[in-house]
Structures are given as C-alpha cells and as structure tokens.
Amino acid sequence: MTFDYDLFVIGAGPGGLAAAKKAASYGARVAIAEKEALGGTCVNRGCVPKKLIVHAADVALQNQMAYSYGWSDSQTTFDWTKFIKSVHQHIESIHRSSDEQLQKAGIELIRGQATFSDPHTIKVNENKVTADKILIAVGAQPIQPKIPGIEYSITSREMFHLPYLPKRLAIIGGGYVGVEFSSMMKAFGCQVTIIEQDEMVLSGFDEDLRRGVQEGLTKRSIRFIGNSNAKQIKYAEESFLLTLAGSSQQIVTADTILVATGRAPNTKDLGLENAGVELGEKGAIKVDEYNCTTQENIFAVGDCTNRLPLTPVARSEGVAFANRVFGKKPQKLNYDYVPSAVFARPEAASVGLTEAKAREKFGDSVKCYRDRFQPLFSQLTKDGEQATIKLVVEGESERVLGAHMVGEHAADIIQTLTVAIRKGITKQDLDQTIGIHPTTAEEFYLIDCQ
Ligand SMILES: Cc1cc2nc3c(=O)[nH]c(=O)nc-3n(C[C@H](O)[C@H](O)[C@H](O)COP(=O)(O)OP(=O)(O)OC[C@H]3O[C@@H](n4cnc5c(N)ncnc54)[C@H](O)[C@@H]3O)c2cc1C
Ligand SMILES: NC(=O)c1ccc[n+]([C@@H]2O[C@H](COP(=O)([O-])OP(=O)(O)OC[C@H]3O[C@@H](n4cnc5c(N)ncnc54)[C@H](O)[C@@H]3O)[C@@H](O)[C@H]2O)c1
C-alpha cells in the first residue's frame, strides 16, 4: 500500500518538531499537524516566556540589592504591558525561525486539529491524509479542581496574557508552576499566597530542597498555606473570595486566582478509539520503552505519555524514535538521571535519587552530605539568603546517587554535575576535584558535613 507520507506527526511542540526534523534528515517524507502555534507549550506558554519573566523579575530583585553594592537610590518603574509585548514579539520570532526550519527540511506543516479515522488515516480540516507511521506528540493541558466558582480562576496559559499585574494573587498548588509564578509575581510587587494540599511546596523533591525553597519563599514574604485545598470561589466587591478546606478553612481574598494543580495528557478528541491506541492512567497514551503504542505503526512521545513532562525529555524521545524507526539506530532512553530545575527565587535543581528514594532502594548503606551557607553575593547585601547543597551517596565507595541544590545558579550547576553522576562518580572523585574560586559550584567539591 502507498501512503501520502512516511511519517505524520500530530503536534508541533518540542517532541513533535524534534522527531519530524530527525526523520526528514533520514530522507523520510514527513508532515506535521499543529492546531495552535509552532513550538507547543514550551515556546508559547511554558519554559520560554516563563524564563523571560524570571529575568525581568531578577532585574527588580537586583535593583533592591543595588544599594549594598554602592549604587545610589534611583527611581525605577516596571511596565508589564510593554514587557509582555516584547516577550510575545520574541515568541513570534521563534515561530518564524521554526517555520523556516521546517521548510528547509522539506516538512509539510498542516495547520489544524488532527484526528484519527483509522490507524493509517488522519483527518485535518476535513481533508484526509494517509501515513505509514504516525507519531502522537500532543502534549498536556492544565487540570483544574472541580469546585464551585472555578470559572473565576485562570491557568498558567492565561498568566502570559495578563493585561496588568494583580495586586493580590492566590495560587492553588505549590508545584513547579505555582512556586515559579509565586516568586516572579512577588518580585513585581504582588502580594502572593500559595495554597497547597501537602505540608510543603514541591512534593516529590528531596526534603532538604523543599525546606530550602519554602524558607526562601517565606523570607520573601510569600504566604504559604499548607495541608489545605480550595473549596469554592466567589466573586464579591471586585475581588475573588477563595474558601479553603483542610487544615486551614479561611477565606483568601485575591484579584487573580491561578490554578496550578498539575497537567493531564491532551488525549481527548483525538479519535484514538479509531486507531486502536490504548490509554493508561490519567488518560496518558500507553507506550513501551521505545515509545511504541498498542498499535504497531503508531508511536507517542512527550507530555502525552505522562512519563517525565519536561521539554528535554520530549525532545530526546522524539529524536530517539526517529533514530530507531527511520535511521535504523536503536536507542532506548535512560530516565534515571534526568535533571530538573525550579526557576523560582531561590532557584532549586535536582538530579538522581532523593534521600527518601535512595533509602527505600538501598536502606542503611545510604549516607548524605549537606551544607548550608551564605553565598558571597548575599554576604554584602546582608539579606540572610542561604544556599543548600546535598549529596546522596551509597555503599563503601560512596557512589553519588543524587545531588540537590537551592541557591543561585542551581540549574546550571546541577546540569553540569549530571554527566559525572550518570557516569557513576564517587564522593572521593568530587573531593579530589579542584574547583573554581569564588563560586557557589565549588562547594560541591568541599562539602563534608553529614
Ligand atoms: C508554565 C510552564 C512552564 C514550564 N517550564 C518548563 C521548563 O522550564 N523546563 C522544562 O523542561 N519544561 C517546562 N515545562 C514543561 C514543557 O513545556 C513540556 O514538558 C513540553 O512542552 C512538552 O513537549 P511536548 O512536545 O510533549 O508537548 P507540547 O509542547 O504541549 O506540544 C504539543 C502540541 O500539540 C498540539 N496539539 C495537541 N493536539 C493536537 C491535535 N489534535 N492536532 C494538532 N495539534 C495538536 C498543541 O497545540 C501543542 O502545540 C513547562 C510547562 C509549563 C506549563
Ligand atoms: N521548571 C520546569 O521544568 C517546569 C516548570 C513548570 C512546569 N513544569 C512541568 O509541568 C508539570 C505541571 O506543573 P504543575 O506545577 O502544574 O504540577 P505539579 O504536579 O508540579 O504540582 C501540582 C501541585 O498542586 C498540588 N495540588 C493538587 N491539587 C490541589 C488542590 N486541589 N489544592 C491544593 N493543592 C493541590 C499538588 O500537591 C502539587 O504540589 C510539572 O510536573 C513539570 O513537569 C516544569
């Protein structure tokens, strides 16, 4: 049977784009469908605009510290509307560049929502196309608790289109999204309250990292209400009244309520039932270690599989799929040492096992080294900011299983350590390494407090 394409990709986020480009580089005839803007969540309403807002917030924070570094008081004002316009202009330039890359690679871009008619046939805008192989890379979307008044809240998607900054922001959920937005918005002068069902922010991360971030947020006057969740939202006198349930039953008054309670795979309305593609927990597409679905010619990568919803993971899965299927280079990803960062202030990052997971797996042979110190920058500002570093090691050789950090440049430092930890370094390897002074990163070579 002949098909219109060798590969049809649904979704032009990091996973879909990486797979399409790699497959085309092997000579495959490729088309990609996108119902919204090129680049997916990451470029349009995730990593990229988020990190630009973090940079804008850092300017505000640096201004607060400038006096300690010899600068005189100067009047500064922040224009959110002007700033967010330049963020969106930058995103448009990424769209143009992605479009050019697709054209150059000979990949056909089809704008519209794709649905399956059968395992080899896709319908987009009333047109049907056929493909030998199909890759699903449709990402995920925010989930919202089903409570009365939830329609008054917004999600991270709308945060990037706020017409003006709210005075009082309530955030339901203290995970990645909630913590990052709390510190950005606080730096711009908003009063921020986080409501989290767990006792601390960032569940799933190492306890020392969670504590370090939580202390840092509290020091910045971000209010945290733990062991509580949202019960209902009402609108009264130009404010939203958020009633809580759980250990706190108070009412939080806010101008904007951000719901950041997790994300669910975008697998509804795809016609998967016509294609024999099965779903697993939370509506995620069931895949094996090679990203094969339950239908032999259909594959899935990225957030829609709900494995590790991060851009580099989606991208690597897309490339590994194309290498194997079109480049005849079998490639299986190893998810054990995927680093991740929370771009809050204080910043936090992590790779490998948390202390709790390491103890579950290796019992009493696990040992931890940790240190808390004041980075040089904060010694002059006297703001009392502390950094935390922690190593989780195992056995006589003290093989490093995990590294966790809270403090300036945490993401870059942990990223650089990742390759060494993946390669199985020991604590002694770190001790014998000479660092760069004065830096925060050198503390990983000097750490000796257990
Ligand atoms: C606020 C926020 C901040 C984030 N920050 C970071 C970060 O700093 N670092 C990091 O690593 N990750 C971050 N992430 C996560 C990251 O954005 C995702 O893991 C990544 O975008 C997943 O890529 P993907 O290709 O799987 O899906 P997506 O990027 O979601 O792309 C899927 C695409 O498919 C399209 N689509 C869906 N259904 C169809 C259909 N039927 N037909 C046609 N097109 C369709 C969608 O429109 C979308 O463009 C963040 C996420 C959020 C929400
Ligand atoms: N820097 C990054 O890499 C980055 C940034 C943002 C998002 N992301 C990705 O996006 C995903 C989604 O992020 P997220 O923050 O939405 O989800 P998350 O799973 O990280 O955090 C959700 C939080 O909401 C809490 N929660 C859930 N329901 C609640 C309720 N009813 N009331 C109070 N609290 C409630 C949970 O306990 C959890 O702490 C992340 O898992 C991550 O993979 C990554």
Side-chain angles (χ1 to χ4, degrees):
M1 185 172 172
T2 54
F3 297 103
D4 298 330
Y5 302 100
D6 299 319
L7 172 66
F8 193 95
V9 180
I10 309 178
L17 284 172
K21 285 190 249 172
K22 196 47 136 182
S25 77
Y26 290 120
R29 295 169 304 141
V30 183
I32 189 164
E34 175 52 61
K35 64 176 181 177
E36 294 192 64
L38 282 179
T41 305
C42 176
V43 166
N44 297 291
R45 45 192 176 274
C47 335
V48 173
K50 182 274 303 285
K51 194 74 191 281
L52 291 171
I53 302 178
V54 170
H55 290 316
D58 278 348
V59 176
L61 296 172
Q62 292 267 348
N63 275 346
Q64 288 167 18
M65 309 290 177
Y67 189 72
S68 309
Y69 275 84
W71 295 90
S72 318
D73 277 340
S74 59
Q75 283 292 320
T76 51
T77 49
F78 176 62
D79 184 338
W80 167 262
T81 314
K82 188 172 151 200
F83 163 66
I84 207 70
K85 197 170 153 202
S86 51
V87 169
H88 288 288
Q89 280 166 351
H90 178 67
I91 292 173
E92 280 164 24
S93 76
I94 301 178
H95 294 159
R96 285 193 293 276
S97 150
S98 284
D99 210 350
E100 280 167 20
Q101 285 174 26
L102 290 180
Q103 284 184 31
K104 222 165 141 191
I107 298 165
E108 191 175 337
L109 170 64
I110 303 177
R111 302 265 181 191
Q113 164 132 2
T115 51
F116 281 94
S117 298
D118 66 47
H120 286 283
T121 311
I122 296 282
K123 195 169 139 197
V124 196
N125 307 331
E126 304 309 316
N127 297 323
K128 284 195 174 175
V129 293
T130 60
D132 182 15
K133 308 269 189 300
I134 297 171
L135 178 71
I136 308 170
V138 293
Q141 57 183 318
I143 43 178
Q144 290 174 294
K146 291 186 177 57
I147 55 164
I150 194 67
E151 64 278 10
Y152 293 126
S153 68
I154 62 169
T155 68
S156 53
R157 180 182 262 266
E158 293 80 34
M159 284 300 284
F160 300 110
H161 295 277
L162 284 177
Y164 47 82
L165 288 171
K167 272 206 181 99
R168 297 160 301 178
L169 173 68
I171 303 177
I172 308 172
Y176 280 91
V177 172
V179 166
E180 288 182 342
F181 272 113
S182 74
S183 82
M184 295 182 245
M185 293 296 137
K186 181 68 202 176
F188 296 135
C190 307
Q191 287 170 34
V192 182
T193 306
I194 300 177
I195 296 103
E196 165 58 49
Q197 64 188 10
D198 206 347
E199 61 182 340
M200 268 198 290
V201 293
L202 297 175
S203 55
F205 280 88
D206 188 89
E207 292 293 298
D208 284 293
L209 180 149
R210 296 177 73 185
R211 208 168 295 116
V213 172
Q214 179 121 355
E215 279 176 23
L217 297 180
T218 305
K219 231 171 83 24
R220 285 164 174 80
S221 305
I222 292 169
R223 191 169 153 224
F224 177 79
I225 304 176
N227 296 317
S228 304
N229 48 42
K231 191 172 163 198
Q232 69 165 26
I233 304 171
K234 279 189 177 163
Y235 182 68
E237 292 172 18
E238 299 189 0
S239 297
F240 297 112
L241 306 177
L242 169 61
T243 308
L244 306 186
S247 93
S248 169
Q249 309 202 341
Q250 58 185 293
I251 295 174
V252 176
T253 310
D255 308 301
T256 299
I257 298 176
L258 165 64
V259 173
T261 49
R263 294 171 65 79
N266 255 331
T267 46
K268 281 189 193 141
D269 308 324
L270 256 182
L272 292 175
E273 61 288 355
N274 303 327
V277 174
E278 286 176 24
L279 298 179
E281 268 180 49
K282 297 183 182 166
I285 294 176
K286 266 194 199 168
V287 283
D288 68 8
E289 61 210 23
Y290 290 107
N291 291 90
C292 303
T293 68
T294 46
Q295 180 61 253
E296 62 170 3
N297 70 307
I298 302 177
F299 306 82
V301 296
D303 283 13
C304 64
T305 65
N306 204 24
R307 211 152 26 188
L308 254 180
L310 297 170
T311 287
V313 173
R315 214 187 278 140
S316 301
E317 289 177 347
V319 170
F321 151 78
N323 278 340
R324 193 176 69 83
V325 175
F326 295 98
K328 308 279 175 261
K329 293 181 197 156
Q331 193 187 342
K332 208 192 307 179
L333 291 188
N334 178 348
Y335 296 89
D336 288 346
Y337 294 101
V338 177
S340 72
V342 182
F343 294 102
R345 297 296 175 255
E347 187 165 283
S350 194
V351 65
L353 294 183
T354 62
E355 179 178 349
K357 288 273 175 222
R359 290 201 187 283
E360 244 174 70
K361 206 166 165 189
F362 298 101
D364 289 342
S365 66
V366 170
K367 206 154 93 181
C368 291
Y369 291 86
R370 47 174 80 72
D371 195 10
R372 254 168 91 73
F373 55 93
Q374 198 169 22
L376 186 59
F377 179 79
S378 304
Q379 291 173 18
L380 210 58
T381 59
K382 299 193 173 55
D383 61 358
E385 183 83 350
Q386 295 284 309
T388 302
I389 58 172
K390 177 170 179 179
L391 286 173
V392 181
V393 306
E394 185 263 331
E396 289 227 333
S397 68
E398 298 203 322
R399 180 169 60 104
V400 181
L401 301 174
H404 310 278
M405 174 171 176
V406 181
E408 56 177 17
H409 314 306
D412 291 283
I413 293 169
I414 291 291
Q415 167 152 266
T416 316
L417 271 180
T418 296
V419 65
I421 295 175
R422 252 194 73 212
K423 289 289 176 192
I425 56 155
T426 62
K427 171 73 171 58
Q428 197 183 25
D429 292 322
L430 288 170
D431 294 341
Q432 290 173 352
T433 304
I434 297 175
I436 298 176
H437 183 73
T439 61
T440 306
E442 70 175 326
E443 301 298 333
F444 270 109
Y445 304 141
L446 303 170
I447 183 172
D448 62 2
C449 315
Q450 286 179 41

